[in-house]
Amino acid sequence: MNQIITPFLKWPGGKRWFIEKHYDLLPTQYNRYLEPFLGSGAVFFTLKPDEAILNDINKDLIDTYRGVKTRWRKVYHCLSEHSLLHSKEYYYDIRSSTYTSLEERSAQFIYLNRTCFNGIYRVNKKGKFNVPIGSKTRVLLDTDNFRAQSLALKKTRIFNKDFEDIIEMAVKDDFLFVDPPYTVRHNKNGFIKYNEILFTWEDQLRLSKSLARAKDRGVKIILTNASHESIRELYKPYDFNFLETSRYSSISATAVNRSNFEELIVMANL
């Protein structure tokens, strides 16, 4: 398991940039790894922890992880069929289809993620994925290694819960990597919401209080968030450490809005 494992999804706000720039911040010793906002799992697949608790509120995303964990061969077979048949008409046919088996739903999710516009995940008011087709046509990638991803996931417990439920599971010397949707007070940060479940400012408040309790329990914490004074104000009273950084964002629909974003890394007990 020393091999490099590339995430099988591209996700808005994914943390591959964090691995490249700030790998040295990650603790080398900890008990369990917990990630309440999983997304593409870039940090998890890099660390390949011995024991992990993974979670996301997006049920389709979590079901896809469960499919890769338990039925990766069947998922790959279905994805291979999508690769052979991919076209504009086929994309919209698959986008509108409803599948029952875990492997078919997992392959559908990965297929749409790889061929939709900019890897965006967005649903309509009925909860249906509605992102148009993108310019990328490759469905199977050179970095695909579903067997290795499945092996890494074997040691995990995967949940579809509220983030606070997962944070409350963390105890002394566990490591929490927390990457929530970026929302700031007054919602003037310019970050786009891709899910029907809005991560509100009240959620940010709830998150900060939950992480403060985890800090007091001796949990190792790294949080990434928007670099905004309203975010700093949430964590200053609890004596968290701050690091300013930046990343390039390519998820905007227009090239002019694709640029570097200032981000804030919030840490404790490292």
Side-chain angles (χ1 to χ4, degrees), residues 92-197:
Y92 288 105
D93 181 51
I94 297 302
R95 194 183 75 169
S96 63
S97 297
T98 300
Y99 294 99
T100 56
S101 74
L102 183 60
E103 60 267 21
E104 288 175 320
R105 287 186 282 117
S106 298
Q108 178 191 37
F109 193 95
I110 298 171
Y111 168 70
L112 294 175
N113 176 262
R114 292 181 175 184
T115 56
C116 74
F117 176 76
N118 248 357
I120 292 172
Y121 182 84
R122 185 189 65 202
V123 296
N124 60 23
K125 292 181 179 180
K126 295 181 179 180
K128 293 290 186 180
F129 184 80
N130 66 351
V131 181
I133 192 171
S135 59
K136 294 184 178 179
T137 58
R138 292 194 66 187
V139 178
L140 300 177
L141 307 177
D142 293 339
T143 55
D144 282 339
N145 191 339
F146 289 101
R147 179 179 180 276
Q149 291 152 355
S150 177
L151 284 173
L153 291 167
K154 292 297 184 188
K155 300 176 182 179
T156 67
R157 297 163 64 197
I158 304 177
F159 294 97
N160 174 220
K161 292 178 174 288
D162 179 80
F163 66 85
E164 195 169 358
D165 294 336
I166 303 304
I167 294 173
E168 291 303 317
M169 294 180 184
V171 297
K172 181 177 174 58
D173 292 329
D174 285 344
F175 172 39
L176 265 170
F177 183 80
V178 187
D179 179 32
Y182 290 2
T183 305
V184 301
R185 188 184 295 138
H186 309 308
N187 200 29
K188 294 179 180 178
N189 59 319
F191 286 90
I192 302 170
K193 310 299 182 302
Y194 294 99
N195 205 314
E196 79 275 18
I197 303 173

Side-chain angles (χ1 to χ4, degrees), residues 2-148:
N2 290 325
Q3 67 191 112
I4 296 174
I5 301 178
T6 302
F8 53 82
L9 297 172
K10 177 183 179 182
W11 206 248
K15 286 298 170 283
R16 298 188 196 191
W17 69 267
F18 181 92
I19 298 299
E20 294 173 0
K21 292 186 66 173
H22 299 295
Y23 179 83
D24 60 316
L25 295 178
L26 298 170
T28 56
Q29 292 185 327
Y30 53 90
N31 290 336
R32 299 179 302 173
Y33 174 87
L34 296 90
E35 189 165 357
F37 305 93
L38 183 54
S40 70
V43 175
F44 164 75
F45 282 122
T46 296
L47 293 178
K48 299 182 286 291
D50 291 334
E51 186 178 357
I53 295 174
L54 306 178
N55 178 79
D56 203 280
I57 197 66
N58 185 327
K59 186 177 185 302
D60 293 334
L61 173 71
I62 287 302
D63 282 347
T64 300
Y65 274 93
R66 288 170 173 159
V68 172
K69 176 181 178 178
T70 61
R71 307 181 189 179
W72 72 266
R73 289 181 179 85
K74 292 181 178 179
V75 172
Y76 183 76
H77 175 75
C78 294
L79 197 61
S80 298
E81 290 188 351
H82 292 324
S83 179
L84 289 172
L85 298 171
H86 176 63
S87 67
K88 183 176 182 180
E89 181 180 2
Y90 185 78
Y91 172 88
Y92 288 105
D93 181 51
I94 297 302
R95 194 183 75 169
S96 63
S97 297
T98 300
Y99 294 99
T100 56
S101 74
L102 183 60
E103 60 267 21
E104 288 175 320
R105 287 186 282 117
S106 298
Q108 178 191 37
F109 193 95
I110 298 171
Y111 168 70
L112 294 175
N113 176 262
R114 292 181 175 184
T115 56
C116 74
F117 176 76
N118 248 357
I120 292 172
Y121 182 84
R122 185 189 65 202
V123 296
N124 60 23
K125 292 181 179 180
K126 295 181 179 180
K128 293 290 186 180
F129 184 80
N130 66 351
V131 181
I133 192 171
S135 59
K136 294 184 178 179
T137 58
R138 292 194 66 187
V139 178
L140 300 177
L141 307 177
D142 293 339
T143 55
D144 282 339
N145 191 339
F146 289 101
R147 179 179 180 276

Side-chain angles (χ1 to χ4, degrees), residues 204-263:
Q204 287 280 21
L205 289 169
R206 192 160 57 92
L207 175 62
S208 65
K209 293 176 181 178
S210 182
L211 289 177
R213 293 193 298 270
K215 175 179 177 289
D216 289 343
R217 296 195 300 271
V219 178
K220 302 173 189 290
I221 300 170
I222 292 181
L223 163 76
T224 58
N225 217 314
S227 181
H228 192 274
E229 189 57 34
S230 64
I231 300 296
R232 292 184 193 87
E233 289 172 359
L234 289 180
Y235 293 92
K236 282 180 181 177
Y238 304 116
D239 295 322
F240 281 82
N241 298 314
F242 300 117
L243 176 65
E244 295 266 356
T245 189
S246 63
R247 69 166 173 90
Y248 176 77
S249 175
S250 61
I251 62 175
S252 174
T254 58
V256 69
N257 290 325
R258 298 172 194 164
S259 58
N260 286 322
F261 282 96
E262 296 302 312
E263 303 220 0

